[in-house]
Amino acid sequence: MRKLTLLFIAALTAFTISAEELNYPTTVINGKTYYIYKVQKSEGYYAISKRFNVTIKEIVDANGDGGLKLGQTVYVPVKEEVKSPNHQTSESTVHTVQKGETLYSLSKRYDVTVDEIRALNPESDILSVGETLIIPSKTTPIAVAATTVAETFKSVAENTDSVTVTYDTIEEPDEQFEKESQNSVRIAILMPFNITMHTESDDKFIDFYRGCLIAADSLKASGYNVTIDTYDIGKTKESLFNILNKKELKEADLIIGPAYTAQIEYVADFAARNHIKTIVPFSNNVPQVKRNKYIFQIVCPQQELYATVIDKCLEEWQNKKVLIITPDSAGIRFDKKEFSDMLAKELRSDNRYCRYISAERMAAEVNLITSIDSSEFVLVIPTTNHVKLTQISDHFDAIKSNRITIFGFPEWNDMLHKDLYNRPLYTFTNYWLNFNDTETLKFFHKYNLIFGVPYPQNNPSYSIFGFDITLFFGKAWCENGRHFEQFFDKEGSQMLQMNFNFEKINGGGYTNHGIYLQTYDKEGIH
């Protein structure tokens, strides 16, 4: 596998060079640059040699003479006389628009504003491929053409297993930082992009990577230097080992990844041996965090969040009384008994009202209690069993009081059981995205401008996962250095989607106990 190194200046783009007014990705092999080309239908050596203005011998020398097949990847030597379609004058640069480029990406690439480009090109709000633009010259641009990140990985396919993206600040940063601050960070992203056999299910990892790039751009705008080394680690141990054996990975300050549980132990071992802080973004099964001080687990098992959830509930329910459905002996049917037992213990130790009621007589008991007590009540239903929830929800209509709010669990959201939401409902979650938040809307707009595609409507948002993690840890490292965990805000740091509140495990790493306590009612989620 070969490494493709890309240098970006704030432009979230991928490296391509023009050949006869067509763009093909390139790679460097033994110091020589080659186009990466896919053989088209009925093409032979002669047709390809004419397309690139090289000799048949040059193609054969680079690829062997075993014949050509449709879709085969061949390497074609880049002629030195082939120049970029963009050229620079003393006062401006003439740029030929490439696929996927926007005014925003060009403004970042050339270090000018969108308005400055518009001033010289008043009819170019909507760009067309091949259109020429006059760009006011401020800096010498990098010869790159904009593509989407998905196109980047698909285009380089089996010839690439890592991509390096460097963001250089334009101005000299302030060197007066405390806490070992260094104003720069090198982040290695280890994700299963599967560029050789990419499927739609792998798109979420591309989207995660896009969020990381937007965060890097935000960090650059704040004056930090960010280098992102991106590695395709596939889904197997073998593909991962190929990456872990690369000496340049040891130069990382932070590792983000992997995605799959089966690969975590090997990355965790690498992190410990090389003293590299590693953020595990998706898996809630990370036993290594209990003994490895370099691991940061973003998503914790639900049971480990119970204490945090109960603290939030007690704070929220200052003026409410709590009723709990009594778990029976049916085992899994009341699978959240541990939570209700912990909640009851905390309520009673705080001299708060707490009473158990029968599932079979729920409506009658609630009606009796609320008829003699005008307080607000929370009814805790400690189960995620669909059959049991259906049986319990059948009693909801018989409850007369409108002073009852149900408390349920995140798994309820996957059941699409509408009767569970007929009354106001409390629940909790690791992540929450407020689509009315100004900063969230800015992210959507920036995503569209940079990548030229609408923001994908998924929940959770993988791109914002990447954004939150990269922004939070990148800034922590730049400002505080390798001991940044000592300076975590104990009250938590609320990002766009995640609420980071890390707790140290004795002898181990850090787990994120940040949660959102949500209320579902007729007005929506809040």
Side-chain angles (χ1 to χ4, degrees):
M1 304 294 281
R2 300 170 178 83
K3 181 175 180 179
L4 179 65
T5 302
L6 315 184
L7 177 63
F8 287 50
I9 295 185
L12 309 180
T13 57
F15 180 66
T16 56
I17 300 179
S18 176
E20 296 181 348
E21 298 182 356
L22 297 175
N23 289 315
Y24 300 98
T26 66
T27 187
V28 177
I29 304 173
N30 296 328
K32 186 171 178 56
T33 304
Y34 294 86
Y35 294 113
I36 303 169
Y37 181 72
K38 296 284 188 179
V39 177
Q40 307 299 308
K41 184 177 181 180
S42 301
E43 274 190 328
Y45 289 113
Y46 178 79
I48 296 174
S49 70
K50 290 300 182 184
R51 178 185 293 272
F52 289 91
N53 191 28
V54 297
T55 66
I56 293 176
K57 183 178 184 303
E58 287 175 309
I59 300 175
V60 172
D61 287 346
N63 299 274
D65 58 356
L68 299 178
K69 297 179 181 179
L70 176 64
Q72 176 183 343
T73 297
V74 295
Y75 302 97
V76 182
V78 175
K79 289 287 189 180
E80 293 183 0
E81 65 270 22
V82 176
K83 297 180 180 179
S84 168
N86 308 322
H87 62 275
Q88 186 169 345
T89 69
S90 60
E91 297 181 353
S92 64
T93 298
V94 178
H95 177 87
T96 302
V97 176
Q98 309 297 312
K99 182 179 179 181
E101 287 183 324
T102 64
L103 289 178
Y104 178 84
S105 67
L106 291 176
S107 73
K108 289 295 185 181
R109 174 180 166 184
Y110 288 95
D111 188 28
V112 296
T113 68
V114 171
D115 288 339
E116 287 174 325
I117 299 176
R118 283 197 180 111
L120 295 179
N121 306 272
E123 304 298 324
S124 296
D125 275 345
I126 300 177
L127 302 184
S128 302
V129 174
E131 176 184 355
T132 58
L133 299 175
I134 300 174
I135 310 293
S137 293
K138 287 192 176 182
T139 61
T140 301
I142 302 301
V144 298
T147 65
T148 65
V149 177
E151 289 170 339
T152 302
F153 283 102
K154 290 179 181 178
S155 67
V156 298
E158 66 270 29
N159 306 293
T160 306
D161 58 14
S162 74
V163 178
T164 299
V165 183
T166 301
Y167 293 80
D168 294 330
T169 53
I170 303 302
E171 300 178 357
E172 288 295 320
D174 182 4
E175 296 181 355
Q176 301 301 316
F177 278 77
E178 299 178 353
K179 317 296 188 185
E180 292 189 41
S181 63
Q182 54 192 34
N183 212 41
S184 64
V185 63
R186 190 179 193 101
I187 303 174
I189 299 176
L190 276 56
M191 284 288 132
F193 299 110
N194 293 312
I195 54 179
T196 58
M197 299 180 64
H198 189 87
T199 65
E200 186 175 345
S201 64
D202 300 317
D203 286 347
K204 57 181 175 288
F205 303 119
I206 296 291
D207 208 38
F208 179 86
Y209 176 56
R210 285 174 168 170
C212 296
L213 293 181
I214 294 175
D217 194 45
S218 296
L219 288 168
K220 177 211 172 281
S222 297
Y224 304 118
N225 294 318
V226 184
T227 299
I228 295 182
D229 301 318
T230 307
Y231 299 89
D232 179 12
I233 61 173
K235 299 181 180 180
T236 65
K237 298 176 184 177
E238 292 73 20
S239 58
L240 174 63
F241 291 160
N242 289 334
I243 301 301
L244 295 182
N245 287 328
K246 292 182 175 295
K247 62 180 182 180
E248 58 263 36
L249 186 59
K250 296 179 181 180
E251 299 174 1
D253 298 316
L254 303 172
I255 292 175
I256 299 177
Y260 293 115
T261 301
Q263 294 178 323
I264 294 175
E265 63 174 304
Y266 305 105
V267 176
D269 179 64
F270 177 89
R273 285 187 284 109
N274 294 283
H275 312 291
I276 302 173
K277 299 182 188 301
T278 297
I279 302 100
V280 180
F282 308 128
S283 177
N284 64 4
N285 182 16
V286 189
Q288 295 78 14
V289 73
K290 296 180 179 179
R291 58 181 182 274
N292 188 330
K293 67 180 181 180
Y294 294 97
I295 301 299
F296 294 78
Q297 182 178 359
I298 300 298
V299 181
C300 285
Q302 190 180 114
Q303 289 84 345
E304 294 183 16
L305 298 175
Y306 283 169
T308 303
V309 174
I310 290 171
D311 286 344
K312 290 276 189 180
C313 288
L314 266 58
E315 180 181 349
E316 177 75 13
W317 300 345
Q318 289 285 345
N319 300 315
K320 297 180 185 292
K321 296 181 177 180
V322 179
L323 305 174
I324 302 175
I325 300 288
T326 304
D328 56 22
S329 58
I332 191 64
R333 295 177 68 186
F334 278 98
D335 54 321
K336 303 300 180 181
K337 181 179 184 298
E338 179 183 354
F339 175 87
S340 61
D341 287 348
M342 290 177 61
L343 175 63
K345 181 179 178 181
E346 290 297 320
L347 287 167
R348 287 166 178 165
S349 66
D350 199 32
N351 294 318
R352 304 270 287 272
Y353 181 98
C354 177
R355 177 172 174 175
Y356 281 93
I357 63 174
S358 166
E360 290 72 19
R361 301 188 65 255
M362 179 186 69
E365 291 190 41
V366 169
N367 288 338
L368 176 61
I369 293 170
T370 55
S371 67
I372 57 178
D373 190 330
S374 60
S375 302
E376 297 282 335
F377 288 87
V378 178
L379 176 62
V380 178
I381 304 177
T383 184
T384 60
N385 179 268
H386 195 274
V387 173
K388 177 56 70 175
L389 282 171
T390 301
Q391 293 173 347
I392 291 174
S393 65
D394 288 342
H395 298 279
F396 284 176
D397 288 341
I399 296 177
K400 299 177 181 179
S401 175
N402 59 4
R403 290 176 279 111
I404 298 291
T405 302
I406 308 297
F407 179 89
F409 294 83
E411 293 91 335
W412 289 17
N413 294 331
D414 298 325
M415 296 181 183
L416 302 178
H417 199 314
K418 62 181 181 64
D419 290 340
L420 298 176
Y421 300 87
N422 287 342
R423 290 179 172 274
L425 171 71
Y426 284 113
T427 189
F428 60 95
T429 181
N430 291 109
Y431 49 83
W432 180 57
L433 193 57
N434 181 359
F435 288 91
N436 295 318
D437 177 67
T438 301
E439 293 303 314
T440 301
L441 295 176
K442 287 181 180 178
F443 177 90
F444 295 156
H445 182 62
K446 191 171 186 179
Y447 184 103
N448 179 260
L449 284 175
I450 292 173
F451 300 109
V453 294
Y455 166 78
Q457 298 295 316
N458 45 31
N459 186 30
S461 166
Y462 281 85
S463 60
I464 298 184
F465 254 132
F467 177 84
D468 282 355
I469 290 171
T470 303
L471 187 67
F472 178 83
F473 284 93
K475 184 176 181 181
W477 179 277
C478 288
E479 293 187 352
N480 302 299
R482 65 178 59 256
H483 301 297
F484 63 74
E485 62 268 23
Q486 298 177 12
F487 308 98
F488 282 167
D489 183 354
K490 294 184 178 180
E491 295 301 318
S493 296
Q494 186 166 321
M495 310 298 288
L496 290 187
Q497 181 172 246
M498 301 296 296
N499 184 13
F500 290 138
N501 184 4
F502 288 95
E503 295 190 11
K504 180 78 167 68
I505 297 175
N506 289 333
Y510 291 78
T511 55
N512 177 31
H513 287 220
I515 60 103
Y516 295 95
L517 186 64
Q518 297 177 315
T519 303
Y520 291 78
D521 56 27
K522 294 180 180 179
E523 298 179 357
I525 305 174
H526 49 88

